[in-house]
Amino acid sequence: MSFTRKFNSLAAASGADLATTSDIVTDAMTAFGMAADGTSKVIKDGLEVEVSNTARFADVLAAASNNANTNVEMMGESFKYVAPAAGALGYSVEDVATALGLMANSGIKASNAGTALRTLFTNMANPSDTMANAMENLGVSLEDDEGNMKSLAQVMQDLRDGFGSLKIPQEE
């Protein structure tokens, strides 16, 4: 499917006009460092295939808005705030859309979600002493043991594990 038809389908499904939908996709793609005329390798039906970046991003937005309590315009608003930080850290659009969808399901949407996630990323990437101590106590890091960036999915799992095993001191 051509990206024009993909944008038309996404716009129709979201109820937004084509210009707004195109802006959302292209602005967020740019922030992630994805060229509109480029391609990405993705896993589809168990096989690695090459798809256009615009089709990939439109599919991600459609899936997120269909599977979470959000819509394409709110996802675009979220991406406006978080995409530059997420892109700089090398996180995938799929992982960021999943995080934003989970936040939307909890009532944190649009600019609030994008700002909160961006703040998390920037605080973890350049932590204050307090933040570094908290990350150490939780056993959370953006890098693996070999110094490679962890995926956002892995960082989120580490946060889940860290908070899940957190012991709160009891008053005596």
Side-chain angles (χ1 to χ4, degrees):
M1 180 183 288
S2 73
F3 71 84
T4 303
R5 285 183 34 207
K6 188 67 80 169
F7 280 165
N8 282 328
S9 296
L10 183 61
S14 69
D17 62 68
L18 182 59
T20 300
T21 303
S22 296
D23 279 348
I24 289 168
V25 172
T26 56
D27 289 351
M29 284 176 53
T30 300
F32 272 97
M34 299 169 67
D37 60 353
T39 60
S40 299
K41 291 184 180 183
V42 298
I43 304 296
K44 186 173 183 174
D45 299 325
L47 300 172
E48 185 176 81
V49 295
E50 202 158 323
V51 298
S52 79
N53 287 337
T54 52
R56 173 184 172 199
F57 210 93
D59 286 345
V60 168
L61 283 176
S65 62
N66 285 332
N67 294 306
N69 187 17
T70 189
N71 62 40
V72 170
E73 288 181 280
M74 285 191 278
M75 289 293 292
E77 183 70 10
S78 298
F79 273 117
K80 179 170 61 173
Y81 292 94
V82 72
L89 291 170
Y91 292 141
S92 74
V93 297
E94 291 84 358
D95 280 350
V96 174
T98 298
L100 292 171
L102 291 169
M103 293 173 79
N105 288 346
S106 297
I108 306 166
K109 301 176 187 179
S111 59
N112 289 332
T115 301
L117 200 53
R118 179 191 65 208
T119 300
L120 172 76
F121 291 160
T122 55
N123 284 339
M124 288 183 73
N126 189 18
S128 65
D129 290 342
T130 302
M131 177 65 88
N133 288 335
M135 290 171 62
E136 185 177 329
N137 288 337
L138 293 170
V140 175
S141 158
L142 292 180
E143 297 176 343
D144 63 18
D145 293 337
E146 294 159 10
N148 300 312
M149 287 296 294
K150 292 180 182 175
S151 70
L152 178 55
Q154 183 60 57
V155 172
M156 298 307 287
Q157 184 61 52
D158 292 349
L159 283 166
R160 214 176 271 123
D161 293 344
F163 280 111
S165 64
L166 189 63
K167 301 286 187 233
I168 299 174
Q170 300 292 319
E171 288 186 341
E172 295 187 42

